[in-house]
Amino acid sequence: MWRALFALLFVAAPPALAMEEEIVLGLSQDRVAITSTFDGSDILVFGAVKREAPIPDAEPLEVVITVSGPSEPVMVRRKEKKFGIWVNVDSILVDSAPSFYAVATSAPFNEAISHTDDLRYKVSVPQAIRSVGADMKVQDAQQFSQAVIRIREAEGLYSLREDTVAVDQQTLFRTSISMPANLIEGDYKTRIFLTRGGKVVSQIVTDIDVRKVGLERFLFNLSRQQPAIYGLMSLAIAIFAGWGASAAFTVLRNR
């Protein structure tokens, strides 16, 4: 009897539901080369939505795209003017802050993704910054993370680009992410979220490789792997440049 019941339950159990909407992604380039003439780059992110069923008759499909550079700790200090001199009064080590972070959406951010899913997937710029804790003596510790965001927004490293993702027929999407000249090397994680009613229904992750090439790559590696040789070479170049400038000035003065 028990065997028959177990067999009935096993046969009657429904199969696992397949994801109704999946992302097929494309990038105009998955590698960015930093050279001496590098002044930034535009990455075209495009793709399509693969479905096994007709388009759901529900809220419209929205797309949220994030591009995140390598994360690193950041020391943030607050200064105050005392006795006519600006001095550091408080400091906090922000545990992890991306060197570059861009968010692009197909609708206003609060409509494209809910606050709950923003917290879950860490999509917005403030959620991408992790600060575990601060000294109890430090007042308004949250302002230190906000200062990191404000400074990097001014440098073009952090941005929120609402209504910049074009979505056609709830199937095709595309946008362009501008990357500034002051990038650092590393893997830039690119995440694409499909949402309906503010809830994430599908996501995909890929990487964009950002590296120095040519002479810049050689000098970078030399400075890290052979700092003594790099220092001597820099000193020799400085001496030669100074001697050359002095010789040129002497020739011009004697004419």
Side-chain angles (χ1 to χ4, degrees):
M1 176 179 176
W2 289 108
R3 291 182 179 179
L5 180 58
F6 286 148
L8 178 61
L9 290 174
F10 178 77
V11 173
L17 295 176
M19 188 175 293
E20 295 181 355
E21 297 175 301
E22 298 181 11
I23 303 169
V24 180
L25 177 65
L27 296 171
S28 61
Q29 60 187 90
D30 58 4
R31 188 170 184 271
V32 175
I34 301 178
T35 64
S36 58
T37 58
F38 180 75
D39 59 356
S41 179
D42 289 335
I43 305 295
L44 177 63
V45 182
F46 59 93
V49 181
K50 178 182 177 182
R51 298 184 177 92
E52 300 295 337
I55 298 175
D57 185 15
E59 292 89 346
L61 181 75
E62 303 294 351
V63 180
V64 180
I65 298 173
T66 71
V67 178
S68 176
S71 294
E72 57 191 2
V74 179
M75 178 62 72
V76 185
R77 294 180 173 85
R78 178 163 55 196
K79 293 186 176 182
E80 288 184 4
K81 197 171 186 179
K82 294 186 177 181
F83 306 107
I85 301 175
W86 288 97
V87 296
N88 295 325
V89 292
D90 291 320
S91 64
I92 285 181
L93 179 65
V94 176
D95 300 86
S96 179
S99 57
F100 172 85
Y101 199 78
V103 182
T105 64
S106 59
F109 185 85
N110 293 332
E111 297 178 13
I113 188 168
S114 66
H115 179 65
T116 300
D117 276 14
D118 180 24
L119 293 175
R120 179 179 302 158
Y121 296 98
K122 301 187 183 303
V123 177
S124 64
V125 175
Q127 295 301 324
I129 296 178
R130 181 166 58 89
S131 182
V132 174
D135 194 309
M136 295 298 294
K137 302 179 195 177
V138 178
Q139 298 180 353
D140 302 324
Q142 186 62 29
Q143 291 185 0
F144 288 80
S145 295
Q146 294 173 356
V148 174
I149 296 174
R150 185 172 62 254
I151 292 170
R152 293 191 171 178
E153 282 179 343
E155 295 174 346
L157 293 173
Y158 287 178
S159 63
L160 171 60
R161 310 168 192 197
E162 299 176 302
D163 296 306
T164 59
V165 181
V167 181
D168 298 331
Q169 302 299 317
Q170 298 196 57
T171 301
L172 303 176
F173 63 87
R174 66 187 181 279
T175 191
S176 180
I177 303 293
S178 297
M179 305 180 76
N182 51 338
L183 296 177
I184 68 171
E185 284 193 306
D187 293 328
Y188 283 61
K189 181 185 294 185
T190 302
R191 299 183 295 167
I192 295 88
F193 301 92
L194 300 183
T195 68
R196 286 190 182 276
K199 296 182 178 179
V200 174
V201 297
S202 181
Q203 66 169 314
I204 192 172
V205 181
T206 187
D207 288 329
I208 299 172
D209 185 36
V210 177
R211 301 290 172 192
K212 293 182 174 71
V213 297
L215 180 60
E216 289 75 17
R217 182 65 184 173
F218 169 76
L219 293 176
F220 178 82
N221 289 337
L222 185 64
S223 66
R224 297 297 187 275
Q225 299 170 7
Q226 301 288 342
I229 296 177
Y230 178 80
L232 291 173
M233 186 178 70
S234 300
L235 180 61
I237 292 175
I239 293 173
F240 179 78
W243 174 82
S246 176
F249 179 76
T250 302
V251 171
L252 291 175
R253 187 179 58 181
N254 294 333
R255 282 188 176 182

